[in-house]
């Protein structure tokens, strides 16, 4: 049994009683990576010497009796679009193959303050653009439950690393479902906080009005610990929210008696695989047994969410990625033809096909004469989607449905059909457009692959989302299942 099968408080008790050391825990992580990662391919860079150095310092701290951080000694993986000082950060793109950040993202600094150990950087879709992790320019991640299937994306490396037992927890980023969908596909817990709750400072921007960093963990309790450590106002992020951070762990009471659940008919209707629908309906019965009540509702603008999302996110991407010009960052292809040739050659060779597709789509949507027809209209749709959720939350505490309409699909099965690929995010994108919190927790299996239950909450009401997820988890065994690698 891996040490990573234990709950966080159990690991901390073992450290405190000197049954294990932080150095030993770090070696468990590195050994698991050595054993499994040739098959899973979750890591792009390892921080072996840095991790061992940090572990030794934490062992000294433990021996001295000094106060310990919330995530003391826990090995963590960081998605490769979150900058880490002196540790290569590529965004899984050839454009940043040689990029060594000179500062830490705020979340990385917070993990250090919480005494976590950074093991390395995790694979992803290039610049977080993709839902299968097949867009990484360093090769696809594979799903630990079935190596012929995708792990989801774009935080596929984060979810696969936790599912494979390579790290205790990981950080991912979620723009349209990039934490929740891979968590669903890999049978782990993925939490997307309310927009503004966790600082984006140091997250390489894809779509700034949607991007959010969150934890990928094995259990809901671990997710609450990591969220507690990384949430909070940051003056270096202009979109950071000045809100009081509650004690998320105290929300894990197991009591959901009287809870009111809304189940959108659009989330369990056409396009949702029957086995996924059955898993969600079975989960609702579990919650009913705990005293909750649920009713079917409608979120009528759901069908427009995917189109609006790809217009908005691609427009923001075309602007954000303009900084990658061969002058300041990463790849520089200068063949002596002048400045315009430098731009053209650097961007042509540095970016992969999906990134180029979205830059072109976004540039077109923002161009003169088309702004009102596409970008402005998409913003109006976004407002309608947010209003749908606001109306439902006047009567209900949470919204529940599947995280994804199907379990993980086979590698290569959708790469030639980007529209079908985009539709895999149809149940996570509305939440991102509304900027509200949601978690994916394991709720069953279909064809031997995990199925995720999505629990959506009101703005800044992460506590209720965690409470419901924890109550469900503690009354089921899905989260105890582990892939055989």
């Amino acid at each position: 049994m891996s040490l990573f099968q234990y709950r966080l408080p159990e690991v901390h008790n073992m450290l405190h009683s000197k049954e294990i050391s932080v150095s030993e825990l770090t070696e468990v992580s590195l050994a698991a990576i050595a054993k499994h990662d040739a098959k899973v391919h979750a890591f792009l860079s390892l921080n072996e010497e840095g991790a061992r150095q940090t572990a030794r310092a934490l062992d000294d701290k433990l021996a001295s009796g000094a106060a310990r951080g919330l995530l003391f000694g826990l090995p963590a993986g960081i998605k490769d679009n979150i900058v880490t000082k002196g540790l290569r950060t590529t965004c899984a793109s050839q454009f940043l193959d040689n990029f060594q950040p000179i500062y830490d993202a705020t979340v990385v600094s917070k993990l250090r303050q919480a005494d976590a150990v950074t093991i390395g950087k995790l694979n992803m879709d290039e610049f977080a653009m993709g839902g299968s992790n097949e867009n990484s320019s360093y090769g696809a991640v594979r799903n630990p439950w079935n190596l012929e299937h995708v792990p989801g994306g774009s935080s596929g490396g984060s979810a696969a690393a936790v599912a494979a037992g390579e790290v205790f927890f990981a950080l991912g980023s979620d723009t349209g479902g990039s934490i929740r969908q891979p968590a669903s596909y890999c049978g782990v817990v993925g939490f997307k906080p309310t927009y503004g709750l966790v600082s984006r400072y140091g997250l390489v921007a894809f779509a700034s009005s949607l991007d959010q960093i969150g934890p990928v963990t094995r259990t809901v309790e671990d997710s609450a610990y990591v969220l507690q450590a990384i949430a909070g106002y940051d003056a270096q992020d202009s979109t950071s929210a000045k809100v009081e951070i509650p004690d998320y762990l105290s929300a894990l009471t197991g009591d959901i008696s009287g809870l009111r659940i809304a189940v959108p008919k659009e989330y369990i209707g056409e396009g949702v695989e029957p086995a996924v629908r059955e898993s969600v309906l079975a989960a609702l019965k579990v919650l009913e047994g705990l005293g909750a009540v649920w009713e079917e509702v409608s979120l009528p603008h759901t069908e427009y969410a995917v189109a609006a999302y790809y217009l908005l996110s691609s427009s923001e991407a075309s602007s954000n990625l303009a900084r990658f010009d061969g002058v300041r960052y990463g790849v520089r292809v200068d063949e002596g033809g002048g400045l315009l040739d430098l731009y053209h050659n650097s961007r042509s060779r540095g970016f992969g096909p999906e990134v180029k597709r979205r830059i072109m789509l976004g540039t077109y949507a923002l161009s003169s004469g088309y702004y009102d027809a596409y970008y402005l209209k998409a913003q109006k749709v976004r407002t309608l989607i947010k209003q749908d959720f606001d109306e439902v939350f006047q009567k209900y505490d949470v919204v529940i449905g599947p995280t994804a309409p199907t379990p993980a699909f086979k590698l290569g099965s959708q790469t030639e059909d980007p529209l079908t690929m985009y539709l895999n995010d149809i149940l996570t994108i509305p939440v991102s457009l509304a900027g509200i919190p949601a978690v994916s927790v394991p709720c069953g299996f279909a064809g031997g692959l995990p199925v995720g239950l999505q629990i959506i909450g009101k703005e800044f009401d992460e506590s209720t989302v965690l409470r419901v997820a924890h109550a469900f988890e503690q009354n089921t065994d899905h989260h105890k299942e582990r892939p055989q690698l």
Side-chain angles (χ1 to χ4, degrees), residues 429-443:
I429 279 174
V431 177
S432 298
L433 290 171
I436 52 182
V439 68
S440 178
V441 293
C443 72

Side-chain angles (χ1 to χ4, degrees), residues 386-400:
K386 176 70 165 63
Q387 289 173 348
D388 284 349
F389 280 109
D390 289 344
E391 191 172 327
V392 166
F393 280 129
Q394 287 180 10
K395 189 176 175 186
Y396 300 92
D397 300 303
V398 292
V399 175
I400 286 183

Side-chain angles (χ1 to χ4, degrees), residues 130-379:
S132 68
N133 233 131
E134 294 168 292
N135 294 330
S136 167
S137 71
Y138 298 97
V141 181
R142 293 174 179 269
N143 192 315
W145 289 91
N146 185 330
L147 297 173
E148 298 303 313
H149 288 245
V150 303
S154 64
S155 305
S158 302
V162 173
E166 296 181 339
V167 287
F168 195 87
F169 74 91
L171 291 185
S173 68
D174 191 313
T175 303
S178 287
I179 289 175
R180 291 160 286 155
Q181 184 247 37
S184 172
Y185 284 2
C186 291
V188 294
V189 177
F191 199 103
K192 186 205 89 73
T194 304
Y195 183 80
L197 185 76
V198 175
S199 172
R200 292 186 301 111
Y201 180 72
L203 172 67
V204 178
F206 160 21
S208 303
S209 75
L210 297 157
D211 297 339
Q212 188 63 190
I213 296 172
V216 180
T217 58
R218 197 175 57 80
T219 69
V220 175
E221 182 184 39
D222 294 345
S223 187
Y225 271 100
V226 179
L227 184 62
Q228 196 77 54
I230 64 174
Y233 174 70
D234 179 13
Q236 297 187 97
D237 174 3
S238 62
T239 60
S240 184
K242 285 186 178 178
V243 294
E244 188 175 339
I245 305 301
D247 180 355
Y248 295 122
L249 290 161
S250 68
L252 309 182
T253 61
D255 180 11
I256 58 166
S257 178
L259 186 91
R260 294 161 300 173
I261 300 171
V263 179
K265 62 182 181 183
E266 294 83 0
Y267 283 31
I268 54 174
E270 187 181 356
V272 176
E273 197 167 293
V276 172
R277 187 184 302 115
E278 291 306 313
S279 292
V280 171
L281 293 174
L284 289 168
K285 281 189 178 175
V286 172
L287 296 172
E288 269 186 329
L290 296 172
V293 293
W294 69 273
E295 293 178 319
E296 192 170 282
V297 300
S298 178
L299 295 171
H301 297 96
T302 298
E303 63 178 302
Y304 308 113
V306 171
Y309 169 81
Y310 278 97
L311 280 166
L312 294 172
S313 63
S314 298
S315 297
E316 293 186 31
S318 75
S319 175
N320 278 325
L321 270 60
R323 74 191 67 181
F324 300 107
D325 53 11
V327 176
R328 287 166 294 182
Y329 305 103
V331 168
R332 177 184 178 89
V333 183
D334 186 357
E335 297 177 338
L339 187 61
L340 289 180
D341 281 346
L342 170 67
Y343 291 162
H344 178 267
N345 292 334
S346 299
R347 290 169 69 83
S348 295
R349 298 188 197 177
F351 290 138
E354 181 63 24
V355 175
K356 289 175 184 173
R357 180 173 15 240
R358 299 206 195 187
I359 289 174
M360 287 190 285
L361 175 63
T363 303
Y364 182 79
L366 291 175
S367 60
S368 177
Y370 297 99
Y371 177 89
D372 287 357
Y374 296 111
Y375 185 81
L376 185 61
K377 189 173 285 186
Q379 285 286 31

Side-chain angles (χ1 to χ4, degrees), residues 46-64:
L46 284 178
N47 179 39
E48 292 186 65
E49 189 47 43
R52 289 183 172 119
Q53 202 171 17
T54 301
R56 287 193 292 272
L58 291 175
D59 281 329
D60 291 342
K61 188 174 184 177
L62 187 64
S64 73

